[in-house]
Coordinates of all heavy atoms in Angstrom, one line a residue:
L18 N -5.1 0.7 19.9 CA -3.9 0.4 19.2 C -3.5 1.5 18.2 O -4.4 2.1 17.6 CB -3.9 -0.9 18.4 CG -4.3 -2.2 19.3 CD1 -4.5 -3.3 18.4 CD2 -3.2 -2.4 20.3
R19 N -2.2 1.8 18.2 CA -1.7 2.7 17.2 C -0.6 2.0 16.3 O 0.3 1.4 16.9 CB -1.1 4.0 17.8 CG -0.6 5.0 16.7 CD 0.1 6.2 17.4 NE 1.4 5.8 18.0 CZ 2.2 6.6 18.6 NH1 1.8 7.8 18.8 NH2 3.3 6.1 19.1
V20 N -0.7 2.1 15.0 CA 0.3 1.6 14.1 C 1.0 2.8 13.6 O 0.3 3.7 13.0 CB -0.3 0.8 13.0 CG1 0.9 0.1 12.2 CG2 -1.2 -0.3 13.5
A21 N 2.4 2.9 13.7 CA 3.1 4.1 13.2 C 4.4 3.7 12.5 O 5.0 2.7 12.9 CB 3.4 5.0 14.3
T22 N 4.7 4.4 11.4 CA 5.9 4.1 10.7 C 6.3 5.4 9.9 O 5.5 6.3 9.6 CB 5.8 2.9 9.7 OG1 7.0 2.6 9.2 CG2 4.8 3.3 8.6
T23 N 7.6 5.4 9.5 CA 8.0 6.4 8.5 C 8.4 5.6 7.3 O 9.3 4.8 7.3 CB 9.3 7.2 9.1 OG1 8.9 7.8 10.3 CG2 9.7 8.2 8.1
L24 N 7.8 5.9 6.1 CA 8.1 5.2 4.9 C 9.3 5.7 4.2 O 9.5 6.9 4.1 CB 6.9 5.3 4.0 CG 5.6 4.5 4.4 CD1 4.5 4.8 3.5 CD2 5.9 3.0 4.6
G25 N 10.1 4.7 3.9 CA 11.5 4.9 3.3 C 11.8 6.1 2.5 O 12.3 7.1 3.0
L26 N 11.6 6.1 1.2 CA 12.2 7.1 0.3 C 11.6 8.5 0.6 O 12.2 9.5 0.5 CB 11.9 6.7 -1.2 CG 12.6 5.5 -1.7 CD1 12.2 5.2 -3.1 CD2 14.1 5.5 -1.5
T27 N 10.3 8.5 0.9 CA 9.6 9.8 1.1 C 9.8 10.4 2.5 O 9.7 11.6 2.7 CB 8.1 9.7 0.8 OG1 7.5 8.7 1.7 CG2 7.8 9.2 -0.6
G28 N 10.1 9.5 3.4 CA 10.2 9.9 4.8 C 8.9 10.3 5.4 O 8.8 11.0 6.4
K29 N 7.8 9.9 4.8 CA 6.4 10.3 5.2 C 6.1 9.5 6.5 O 6.2 8.3 6.5 CB 5.4 10.0 4.1 CG 4.0 10.3 4.4 CD 3.1 9.9 3.3 CE 1.6 10.2 3.7 NZ 0.7 9.7 2.6
F30 N 5.6 10.2 7.5 CA 5.2 9.6 8.7 C 3.7 9.2 8.6 O 2.8 10.0 8.2 CB 5.3 10.6 9.9 CG 4.8 10.0 11.2 CD1 5.5 9.0 11.8 CD2 3.6 10.4 11.8 CE1 5.1 8.4 13.0 CE2 3.2 9.9 13.0 CZ 3.9 8.9 13.6
C31 N 3.4 7.9 8.8 CA 2.1 7.4 8.7 C 1.7 6.7 10.0 O 2.5 6.1 10.7 CB 2.0 6.3 7.6 SG 2.5 6.9 6.0
Q32 N 0.4 6.9 10.4 CA -0.1 6.3 11.6 C -1.6 6.0 11.4 O -2.3 6.6 10.6 CB 0.1 7.1 12.8 CG -0.6 8.4 12.9 CD -0.3 9.2 14.2 OE1 0.0 8.5 15.2 NE2 -0.5 10.5 14.2
A33 N -2.1 4.9 12.1 CA -3.5 4.6 12.1 C -3.8 4.1 13.5 O -3.0 3.6 14.2 CB -3.7 3.4 11.1
H34 N -5.1 4.5 13.9 CA -5.6 4.2 15.2 C -6.8 3.2 15.2 O -7.6 3.3 14.3 CB -6.0 5.4 16.0 CG -4.8 6.4 16.3 ND1 -4.3 7.2 15.3 CD2 -4.1 6.5 17.4 CE1 -3.3 7.9 15.9 NE2 -3.1 7.5 17.1
Y35 N -6.8 2.3 16.2 CA -7.9 1.3 16.3 C -8.4 1.3 17.7 O -7.7 0.8 18.6 CB -7.4 0.0 15.8 CG -6.9 0.0 14.4 CD1 -5.6 0.1 14.1 CD2 -7.8 -0.2 13.3 CE1 -5.1 0.2 12.9 CE2 -7.3 -0.1 12.0 CZ -5.9 0.1 11.8 OH -5.5 0.1 10.5
S36 N -9.5 2.0 17.9 CA -10.0 2.2 19.3 C -10.8 1.0 19.8 O -11.6 0.4 19.1 CB -10.9 3.5 19.3 OG -11.5 3.6 20.5
Y37 N -10.6 0.7 21.1 CA -11.3 -0.3 21.7 C -12.8 0.1 22.0 O -13.6 -0.7 22.3 CB -10.7 -0.7 23.0 CG -9.4 -1.4 22.9 CD1 -8.5 -1.5 24.0 CD2 -9.0 -2.1 21.7 CE1 -7.3 -2.2 23.8 CE2 -7.8 -2.7 21.6 CZ -6.9 -2.8 22.6 OH -5.7 -3.5 22.5
N38 N -13.0 1.4 21.8 CA -14.4 1.9 22.0 C -15.3 1.5 20.8 O -16.5 1.4 20.9 CB -14.4 3.4 22.2 CG -13.8 3.8 23.5 OD1 -13.9 3.1 24.5 ND2 -13.2 5.0 23.5
D39 N -14.6 1.4 19.6 CA -15.3 1.1 18.4 C -15.2 -0.4 18.0 O -16.0 -0.9 17.2 CB -14.8 2.0 17.3 CG -14.9 3.4 17.6 OD1 -16.0 3.8 18.2 OD2 -14.0 4.2 17.2
L40 N -14.1 -1.0 18.4 CA -13.8 -2.4 18.0 C -13.5 -3.3 19.2 O -13.1 -2.8 20.2 CB -12.6 -2.4 17.1 CG -12.7 -1.5 15.8 CD1 -11.3 -1.3 15.3 CD2 -13.6 -2.2 14.8
S41 N -13.8 -4.6 19.0 CA -13.3 -5.5 20.1 C -11.8 -5.5 20.0 O -11.2 -5.2 19.0 CB -13.9 -6.9 19.8 OG -13.3 -7.5 18.6
R42 N -11.2 -6.0 21.1 CA -9.7 -6.0 21.2 C -9.2 -6.9 20.1 O -8.2 -6.6 19.4 CB -9.3 -6.5 22.6 CG -7.8 -6.4 22.8 CD -7.4 -6.8 24.2 NE -6.0 -6.5 24.5 CZ -5.0 -7.4 24.2 NH1 -5.3 -8.5 23.6 NH2 -3.8 -7.1 24.5
E43 N -9.8 -8.1 19.9 CA -9.4 -9.0 18.9 C -9.4 -8.4 17.5 O -8.5 -8.6 16.7 CB -10.2 -10.3 18.9 CG -10.0 -11.1 20.2 CD -10.7 -10.5 21.4 OE1 -11.5 -9.6 21.2 OE2 -10.4 -11.0 22.5
R44 N -10.5 -7.7 17.2 CA -10.7 -7.1 15.8 C -9.7 -6.0 15.6 O -9.1 -5.8 14.6 CB -12.1 -6.6 15.7 CG -12.4 -6.0 14.3 CD -12.1 -6.9 13.2 NE -12.5 -6.3 11.9 CZ -12.1 -6.8 10.7 NH1 -11.3 -7.8 10.6 NH2 -12.5 -6.2 9.6
A45 N -9.5 -5.2 16.7 CA -8.5 -4.1 16.6 C -7.1 -4.6 16.3 O -6.4 -4.1 15.5 CB -8.5 -3.3 17.9
W46 N -6.7 -5.7 17.0 CA -5.4 -6.3 16.7 C -5.3 -6.9 15.3 O -4.3 -6.7 14.6 CB -5.1 -7.4 17.7 CG -4.4 -6.9 18.9 CD1 -5.0 -6.7 20.2 CD2 -3.0 -6.5 19.0 NE1 -4.0 -6.2 21.0 CE2 -2.8 -6.1 20.4 CE3 -2.0 -6.5 18.2 CZ2 -1.6 -5.6 20.8 CZ3 -0.7 -6.1 18.6 CH2 -0.5 -5.6 19.9
E47 N -6.4 -7.5 14.8 CA -6.4 -8.0 13.5 C -6.2 -6.9 12.4 O -5.4 -7.1 11.5 CB -7.8 -8.7 13.2 CG -7.9 -9.3 11.9 CD -9.3 -9.9 11.7 OE1 -10.0 -10.3 12.7 OE2 -9.7 -10.1 10.5
L48 N -6.9 -5.8 12.6 CA -6.8 -4.7 11.6 C -5.4 -4.0 11.8 O -4.8 -3.6 10.8 CB -7.9 -3.6 11.9 CG -9.3 -4.1 11.6 CD1 -10.3 -3.1 12.0 CD2 -9.4 -4.4 10.1

Side-chain angles (χ1 to χ4, degrees):
L18 302 173
R19 181 186 70 182
V20 186
T22 189
T23 300
L24 290 178
L26 298 180
T27 61
K29 178 183 178 182
F30 179 72
C31 301
Q32 63 177 339
H34 293 81
Y35 302 92
S36 172
Y37 290 163
N38 293 330
D39 303 322
L40 303 163
S41 68
R42 188 174 187 276
E43 292 75 14
R44 181 57 176 163
W46 272 103
E47 181 181 335
L48 293 174

